[in-house]
Coordinates of all heavy atoms in Angstrom, one line a residue:
Chain A
G73 N 14.1 2.0 19.4 CA 14.3 0.6 20.1 C 14.1 -0.5 19.1 O 14.9 -1.4 19.0
G77 N 17.4 -1.0 17.4 CA 17.9 -1.9 18.4 C 18.6 -1.2 19.5 O 19.3 -1.8 20.3
V79 N 18.0 0.5 23.1 CA 17.0 0.6 24.2 C 17.1 1.9 24.9 O 18.1 2.2 25.5 CB 17.2 -0.6 25.1 CG1 16.1 -0.6 26.2 CG2 17.2 -1.9 24.4
F81 N 15.7 3.9 28.0 CA 14.9 3.8 29.3 C 14.5 5.2 29.8 O 13.9 5.3 30.9 CB 15.8 3.2 30.4 CG 16.2 1.8 30.1 CD1 17.5 1.4 29.9 CD2 15.2 0.8 30.1 CE1 17.8 0.0 29.7 CE2 15.5 -0.5 29.9 CZ 16.8 -0.9 29.7
I129 N 21.8 13.8 24.2 CA 22.2 12.5 24.9 C 22.7 11.5 23.9 O 23.6 10.8 24.1 CB 21.1 12.0 25.8 CG1 21.6 10.9 26.7 CG2 19.9 11.5 25.0 CD1 21.7 11.3 28.0
L132 N 26.3 12.3 22.8 CA 27.3 12.0 23.7 C 27.5 10.5 23.8 O 28.7 10.1 24.1 CB 26.9 12.6 25.1 CG 27.1 14.0 25.3 CD1 26.6 14.5 26.7 CD2 28.6 14.4 25.1
T133 N 26.5 9.7 23.7 CA 26.7 8.3 24.0 C 26.5 7.3 22.9 O 26.9 6.1 23.0 CB 25.7 7.9 25.1 OG1 24.4 8.2 24.7 CG2 25.9 8.6 26.4
L136 N 29.4 5.1 21.4 CA 29.9 3.9 22.2 C 28.9 2.7 22.0 O 28.0 2.8 21.2 CB 29.9 4.3 23.7 CG 30.8 5.5 24.0 CD1 30.4 6.1 25.3 CD2 32.2 5.2 24.0
R137 N 29.2 1.6 22.7 CA 28.4 0.4 22.5 C 27.0 0.7 23.0 O 26.8 1.6 23.8 CB 29.0 -0.7 23.3 CG 30.3 -1.3 22.7 CD 30.7 -2.5 23.5 NE 30.8 -2.3 24.9 CZ 30.2 -3.0 25.8 NH1 29.5 -4.0 25.4 NH2 30.4 -2.8 27.1
A139 N 24.9 -0.5 25.0 CA 24.6 -0.6 26.5 C 24.8 0.8 27.1 O 24.0 1.2 28.0 CB 25.4 -1.6 27.2
F140 N 25.8 1.5 26.7 CA 26.1 2.8 27.3 C 25.0 3.8 27.1 O 24.6 4.6 28.0 CB 27.4 3.4 26.8 CG 28.6 2.6 27.4 CD1 29.4 1.9 26.5 CD2 28.9 2.6 28.7 CE1 30.5 1.2 27.0 CE2 29.9 1.9 29.2 CZ 30.8 1.2 28.4
S142 N 21.8 3.1 26.7 CA 20.7 2.7 27.6 C 20.9 3.1 29.0 O 20.0 3.7 29.6 CB 20.5 1.2 27.5 OG 20.4 0.7 26.2
I143 N 22.2 2.9 29.5 CA 22.5 3.3 30.9 C 22.4 4.8 31.0 O 21.8 5.4 32.0 CB 23.9 2.8 31.3 CG1 23.9 1.3 31.3 CG2 24.3 3.4 32.6 CD1 25.3 0.7 31.2
A144 N 22.9 5.6 30.0 CA 22.8 7.0 30.0 C 21.4 7.5 30.1 O 21.0 8.4 30.8 CB 23.6 7.6 28.9
L146 N 18.8 5.9 31.3 CA 18.3 5.6 32.6 C 18.7 6.7 33.6 O 17.9 7.1 34.4 CB 18.9 4.2 33.0 CG 18.2 3.3 34.0 CD1 16.8 3.1 33.5 CD2 18.9 2.0 34.0
A147 N 20.0 7.1 33.5 CA 20.5 8.1 34.4 C 19.9 9.5 34.1 O 19.6 10.3 35.0 CB 22.0 8.2 34.4
L148 N 19.6 9.7 32.8 CA 19.0 10.9 32.4 C 17.7 11.2 33.1 O 17.4 12.3 33.6 CB 18.7 10.9 30.9 CG 18.0 12.1 30.3 CD1 18.9 13.3 30.1 CD2 17.3 11.8 28.9
V150 N 16.8 10.3 36.0 CA 17.0 10.7 37.4 C 17.4 12.1 37.5 O 17.0 12.9 38.3 CB 18.1 9.8 38.1 CG1 18.4 10.3 39.4 CG2 17.6 8.3 38.2
V151 N 18.3 12.5 36.5 CA 18.9 13.9 36.6 C 17.9 14.9 36.2 O 17.7 16.0 36.9 CB 20.1 13.9 35.8 CG1 20.6 15.4 35.6 CG2 21.2 13.1 36.4
T154 N 15.8 15.5 39.0 CA 16.4 16.3 40.0 C 16.4 17.8 39.7 O 16.1 18.6 40.6 CB 17.9 15.8 40.2 OG1 17.9 14.4 40.4 CG2 18.6 16.5 41.4
I155 N 16.6 18.1 38.4 CA 16.6 19.5 38.0 C 15.2 20.1 38.2 O 15.0 21.2 38.7 CB 17.1 19.6 36.5 CG1 18.6 19.2 36.5 CG2 16.9 21.0 36.0 CD1 19.1 19.1 35.1
N158 N 14.2 20.8 41.7 CA 14.9 21.9 42.3 C 14.5 23.2 41.6 O 15.0 24.3 42.0 CB 16.4 21.7 42.2 CG 16.9 20.8 43.3 OD1 16.9 21.1 44.5 ND2 17.2 19.6 42.8
L267 N 7.8 6.0 36.6 CA 8.6 4.9 35.9 C 7.6 4.1 35.0 O 8.0 3.5 34.1 CB 9.2 4.0 37.0 CG 10.3 3.0 36.4 CD1 11.5 3.8 35.9 CD2 10.7 2.1 37.5
V271 N 8.4 1.9 31.6 CA 8.1 0.5 31.5 C 7.1 0.2 30.4 O 7.3 -0.7 29.5 CB 7.6 0.0 32.8 CG1 7.2 -1.5 32.7 CG2 8.7 0.1 33.9
I274 N 8.3 0.4 26.8 CA 9.1 -0.7 26.4 C 8.3 -1.9 26.3 O 8.4 -2.7 25.3 CB 10.3 -1.0 27.4 CG1 11.2 0.2 27.4 CG2 11.0 -2.2 27.0 CD1 12.3 0.2 28.5
A309 N -1.1 -0.4 41.4 CA 0.1 -1.2 41.6 C 0.1 -2.5 41.0 O 1.0 -3.0 40.3 CB 0.4 -1.3 43.1
L312 N 0.6 -2.3 37.3 CA 2.0 -2.2 36.9 C 2.7 -3.5 37.0 O 3.6 -3.9 36.2 CB 2.7 -1.2 37.8 CG 2.2 0.3 37.5 CD1 2.9 1.2 38.5 CD2 2.6 0.7 36.1
L313 N 2.3 -4.3 38.1 CA 2.9 -5.6 38.2 C 2.7 -6.5 37.0 O 3.5 -7.2 36.5 CB 2.4 -6.3 39.5 CG 3.0 -7.6 39.9 CD1 4.5 -7.5 40.1 CD2 2.3 -8.2 41.1
G316 N 4.9 -5.6 34.2 CA 6.3 -6.1 34.4 C 6.3 -7.6 34.1 O 7.2 -8.0 33.4
L317 N 5.4 -8.3 34.6 CA 5.4 -9.8 34.4 C 5.2 -10.1 32.9 O 5.9 -11.0 32.4 CB 4.3 -10.5 35.2 CG 4.5 -10.4 36.7 CD1 3.2 -11.0 37.5 CD2 5.7 -11.2 37.1
L319 N 6.0 -8.2 30.4 CA 7.3 -7.9 29.7 C 8.3 -9.0 29.8 O 8.8 -9.5 28.8 CB 7.8 -6.6 30.3 CG 9.2 -6.1 29.8 CD1 9.2 -5.9 28.3 CD2 9.7 -4.9 30.6
V320 N 8.5 -9.4 31.1 CA 9.5 -10.5 31.3 C 9.1 -11.8 30.6 O 9.9 -12.5 29.9 CB 9.8 -10.7 32.8 CG1 10.6 -12.0 33.0 CG2 10.5 -9.5 33.4
V323 N 9.6 -11.4 26.6 CA 10.9 -11.5 26.1 C 11.5 -12.9 26.2 O 12.3 -13.3 25.4 CB 11.9 -10.5 26.8 CG1 11.6 -9.1 26.3 CG2 11.9 -10.6 28.3
I324 N 11.1 -13.7 27.2 CA 11.6 -15.0 27.4 C 10.9 -16.0 26.4 O 11.6 -16.7 25.6 CB 11.5 -15.5 28.8 CG1 12.4 -14.7 29.7 CG2 11.8 -17.0 28.9 CD1 12.2 -15.0 31.2
P327 N 9.8 -13.9 21.9 CA 10.7 -12.7 21.7 C 10.2 -11.8 20.5 O 10.6 -10.7 20.5 CB 12.1 -13.3 21.4 CG 11.9 -14.7 21.1 CD 10.6 -15.1 21.8
N328 N 9.4 -12.3 19.6 CA 8.9 -11.4 18.5 C 7.5 -10.9 18.8 O 6.9 -10.3 17.8 CB 9.0 -12.1 17.2 CG 10.4 -12.4 16.8 OD1 11.3 -11.6 17.0 ND2 10.7 -13.6 16.4
Chain B
F58 N 28.9 -6.5 34.8 CA 29.0 -5.7 33.6 C 30.4 -5.5 33.1 O 30.7 -5.7 31.9 CB 28.4 -4.3 33.9 CG 28.4 -3.3 32.7 CD1 27.9 -3.7 31.5 CD2 28.9 -2.1 32.8 CE1 27.9 -2.9 30.4 CE2 28.9 -1.2 31.8 CZ 28.4 -1.6 30.5
D62 N 30.2 -8.6 30.9 CA 29.5 -7.9 29.8 C 28.0 -8.2 29.9 O 27.3 -8.2 28.9 CB 30.0 -8.3 28.4 CG 29.8 -7.1 27.5 OD1 29.7 -6.0 27.9 OD2 29.8 -7.4 26.3
V64 N 24.6 -6.6 31.1 CA 24.1 -5.3 31.5 C 23.0 -5.4 32.5 O 21.8 -5.3 32.2 CB 23.7 -4.4 30.3 CG1 23.5 -3.0 30.8 CG2 24.7 -4.5 29.2
I66 N 20.9 -4.1 34.8 CA 20.4 -2.9 35.4 C 19.5 -3.2 36.5 O 19.1 -2.3 37.2 CB 19.6 -2.0 34.3 CG1 18.7 -2.9 33.5 CG2 20.6 -1.3 33.4 CD1 17.8 -2.0 32.7
V111 N 18.6 -18.4 33.5 CA 17.4 -18.0 32.7 C 18.0 -17.0 31.6 O 17.6 -17.1 30.4 CB 16.4 -17.2 33.6 CG1 15.3 -16.6 32.7 CG2 15.8 -18.2 34.6
S115 N 17.7 -17.9 27.7 CA 16.7 -17.2 26.9 C 17.3 -16.2 26.0 O 16.8 -15.8 24.9 CB 15.8 -16.4 27.8 OG 15.3 -17.2 28.8
F116 N 18.5 -15.6 26.3 CA 19.0 -14.5 25.5 C 20.5 -14.7 25.0 O 20.7 -14.6 23.8 CB 19.0 -13.2 26.3 CG 17.7 -13.0 27.0 CD1 17.5 -13.1 28.3 CD2 16.6 -12.6 26.2 CE1 16.3 -12.9 28.9 CE2 15.4 -12.4 26.8 CZ 15.2 -12.6 28.1
R119 N 20.9 -17.3 22.3 CA 20.3 -16.9 21.1 C 20.9 -15.7 20.5 O 20.5 -15.2 19.4 CB 18.8 -16.6 21.3 CG 18.0 -17.8 21.8 CD 16.5 -17.3 21.8 NE 15.7 -18.1 22.7 CZ 14.5 -17.7 23.2 NH1 14.1 -16.4 23.0 NH2 13.8 -18.5 24.0
Q121 N 20.6 -12.6 21.7 CA 19.7 -11.6 21.7 C 19.8 -10.7 23.0 O 18.9 -10.1 23.4 CB 18.2 -12.1 21.7 CG 17.9 -12.8 20.4 CD 16.5 -13.3 20.4 OE1 16.0 -13.7 21.5 NE2 15.8 -13.3 19.3
L124 N 18.8 -6.2 23.0 CA 17.6 -5.5 23.2 C 16.8 -6.3 24.3 O 16.4 -5.7 25.3 CB 16.8 -5.5 21.9 CG 15.6 -4.5 21.9 CD1 15.4 -4.0 20.5 CD2 14.3 -5.1 22.4
R125 N 16.6 -7.6 24.1 CA 15.7 -8.3 25.0 C 16.3 -8.6 26.3 O 15.6 -8.6 27.3 CB 15.3 -9.6 24.3 CG 14.6 -9.4 23.0 CD 14.1 -10.6 22.3 NE 14.1 -10.4 20.9 CZ 13.4 -9.5 20.2 NH1 12.6 -8.7 20.8 NH2 13.6 -9.4 18.9
L127 N 18.3 -6.6 27.9 CA 18.1 -5.3 28.7 C 16.6 -5.2 29.2 O 16.4 -4.8 30.3 CB 18.4 -4.1 27.8 CG 19.8 -3.6 27.8 CD1 20.0 -2.6 26.7 CD2 20.2 -3.1 29.2
A128 N 15.7 -5.5 28.3 CA 14.3 -5.4 28.6 C 14.0 -6.4 29.8 O 13.2 -6.1 30.7 CB 13.4 -5.7 27.4
F129 N 14.6 -7.6 29.7 CA 14.4 -8.6 30.8 C 14.8 -8.1 32.1 O 14.1 -8.1 33.1 CB 15.2 -9.8 30.4 CG 15.4 -10.9 31.5 CD1 14.3 -11.6 31.9 CD2 16.6 -11.1 32.1 CE1 14.5 -12.6 32.9 CE2 16.8 -12.0 33.1 CZ 15.7 -12.8 33.5
F131 N 15.3 -4.9 33.0 CA 14.4 -3.8 33.3 C 13.1 -4.3 33.9 O 12.7 -3.8 34.9 CB 14.2 -3.0 32.1 CG 13.5 -1.7 32.4 CD1 14.2 -0.7 33.2 CD2 12.3 -1.3 31.8 CE1 13.6 0.5 33.5 CE2 11.7 -0.1 32.1 CZ 12.4 0.8 32.9
G132 N 12.6 -5.4 33.3 CA 11.4 -6.0 33.9 C 11.6 -6.5 35.3 O 10.8 -6.3 36.2
L133 N 12.7 -7.1 35.5 CA 13.0 -7.7 36.9 C 13.1 -6.5 37.9 O 12.5 -6.6 39.0 CB 14.4 -8.4 36.9 CG 14.5 -9.8 36.3 CD1 15.8 -10.4 36.7 CD2 13.4 -10.7 37.0
F135 N 11.7 -3.7 37.7 CA 10.3 -3.1 37.9 C 9.5 -4.0 38.8 O 8.8 -3.6 39.7 CB 9.7 -2.9 36.5 CG 8.5 -2.1 36.6 CD1 8.5 -0.7 36.9 CD2 7.3 -2.6 36.2 CE1 7.4 0.0 37.0 CE2 6.1 -1.9 36.3 CZ 6.2 -0.6 36.6
I136 N 9.5 -5.3 38.5 CA 8.7 -6.3 39.2 C 9.1 -6.3 40.7 O 8.3 -6.2 41.6 CB 8.9 -7.7 38.7 CG1 8.2 -7.8 37.3 CG2 8.2 -8.7 39.6 CD1 8.5 -9.1 36.6
V139 N 7.7 -3.1 42.4 CA 6.3 -3.1 42.6 C 5.8 -4.1 43.6 O 5.0 -3.8 44.5 CB 5.5 -3.4 41.2 CG1 4.0 -3.5 41.4 CG2 5.8 -2.3 40.2
V140 N 6.5 -5.3 43.6 CA 6.1 -6.3 44.7 C 6.5 -5.8 46.1 O 5.7 -5.9 47.0 CB 6.9 -7.6 44.4 CG1 6.8 -8.6 45.6 CG2 6.3 -8.3 43.2
L143 N 3.8 -3.4 47.0 CA 2.6 -4.1 47.3 C 2.6 -4.7 48.7 O 1.7 -4.7 49.5 CB 2.3 -5.2 46.3 CG 1.6 -4.7 45.0 CD1 1.6 -5.8 44.0 CD2 0.3 -4.1 45.2
R250 N 16.5 3.1 42.4 CA 16.7 3.8 41.1 C 17.8 4.8 41.1 O 18.5 5.0 40.1 CB 15.4 4.4 40.7 CG 14.6 3.6 39.8 CD 13.4 4.4 39.4 NE 12.2 4.0 40.2 CZ 11.2 4.8 40.3 NH1 11.2 6.0 39.8 NH2 10.2 4.5 41.1
I253 N 21.2 3.4 40.1 CA 21.6 2.9 38.8 C 22.6 3.8 38.1 O 23.7 3.3 37.6 CB 20.3 2.8 37.9 CG1 19.3 1.8 38.5 CG2 20.7 2.4 36.5 CD1 18.0 1.8 37.8
F257 N 26.8 2.5 37.6 CA 27.4 2.4 36.2 C 28.4 3.5 36.0 O 29.4 3.2 35.4 CB 26.3 2.4 35.1 CG 25.6 1.1 35.0 CD1 24.4 0.8 35.6 CD2 26.2 0.0 34.3 CE1 23.7 -0.4 35.5 CE2 25.6 -1.2 34.3 CZ 24.3 -1.4 34.8
V261 N 32.2 2.4 35.0 CA 32.8 2.8 33.8 C 34.1 3.6 34.2 O 35.2 3.4 33.6 CB 31.9 3.7 33.0 CG1 32.6 4.3 31.8 CG2 30.7 2.8 32.5
S292 N 19.5 17.9 47.8 CA 18.6 17.5 46.7 C 19.3 17.5 45.3 O 18.8 17.0 44.3 CB 17.4 18.5 46.7 OG 17.9 19.8 46.5
W293 N 20.5 18.1 45.3 CA 21.3 18.1 44.0 C 22.1 16.9 43.8 O 22.7 16.6 42.7 CB 22.1 19.4 43.9 CG 21.3 20.6 43.4 CD1 21.0 21.6 44.2 CD2 20.8 20.8 42.1 NE1 20.2 22.5 43.5 CE2 20.1 22.1 42.2 CE3 20.8 20.1 40.9 CZ2 19.5 22.6 41.1 CZ3 20.2 20.7 39.8 CH2 19.5 21.9 39.9
P295 N 21.8 13.6 43.4 CA 21.6 12.6 42.4 C 22.1 13.0 41.0 O 22.5 12.2 40.2 CB 20.1 12.4 42.3 CG 19.6 12.8 43.6 CD 20.6 13.9 44.1
A296 N 22.1 14.3 40.8 CA 22.6 14.8 39.4 C 24.1 14.7 39.3 O 24.5 14.6 38.1 CB 22.2 16.3 39.3
F299 N 25.2 11.5 37.5 CA 24.9 11.5 36.0 C 25.9 12.4 35.3 O 26.4 12.0 34.2 CB 23.5 12.1 35.8 CG 23.1 12.2 34.4 CD1 22.8 11.1 33.6 CD2 23.1 13.4 33.8 CE1 22.5 11.2 32.3 CE2 22.8 13.6 32.4 CZ 22.5 12.4 31.7
L302 N 28.9 10.4 34.9 CA 28.8 9.3 33.9 C 28.9 9.9 32.5 O 29.7 9.4 31.7 CB 27.4 8.6 34.1 CG 27.1 7.5 33.1 CD1 28.0 6.4 33.2 CD2 25.6 7.0 33.3
L303 N 28.2 11.0 32.3 CA 28.2 11.6 30.9 C 29.6 12.0 30.6 O 30.1 11.8 29.5 CB 27.3 12.7 30.8 CG 25.9 12.4 30.4 CD1 25.1 13.7 30.0 CD2 25.9 11.5 29.1
L306 N 31.8 9.0 29.9 CA 31.5 8.4 28.6 C 31.9 9.2 27.4 O 32.4 8.7 26.4 CB 30.0 8.1 28.5 CG 29.4 7.0 29.3 CD1 27.9 6.9 29.1 CD2 30.1 5.7 29.0
A307 N 31.8 10.6 27.6 CA 32.2 11.4 26.5 C 33.7 11.6 26.3 O 34.2 11.7 25.2 CB 31.5 12.8 26.7
P310 N 36.0 7.0 28.0 CA 35.3 5.8 28.1 C 36.1 4.6 28.7 O 35.5 3.6 29.1 CB 34.8 5.5 26.7 CG 35.3 6.6 25.8 CD 36.1 7.5 26.7

Side-chain angles (χ1 to χ4, degrees):
Chain A
V79 182
F81 292 117
I129 189 106
L132 282 177
T133 56
L136 303 160
R137 289 188 305 128
F140 287 115
S142 304
I143 296 162
L146 208 51
L148 174 78
V150 174
V151 170
T154 308
I155 292 172
N158 284 288
L267 197 62
V271 176
I274 296 171
L312 291 177
L313 181 61
L317 291 173
L319 173 63
V320 170
V323 288
I324 292 175
N328 294 318
Chain B
F58 181 51
D62 210 21
V64 194
I66 48 173
V111 173
S115 312
F116 311 107
R119 298 187 200 155
Q121 291 180 328
L124 196 152
R125 302 183 211 296
L127 270 173
F129 168 71
F131 191 59
L133 282 190
F135 192 66
I136 291 172
V139 174
V140 167
L143 281 172
R250 264 184 262 156
I253 297 172
F257 283 99
V261 174
S292 60
W293 280 106
F299 177 74
L302 177 64
L303 268 193
L306 287 179

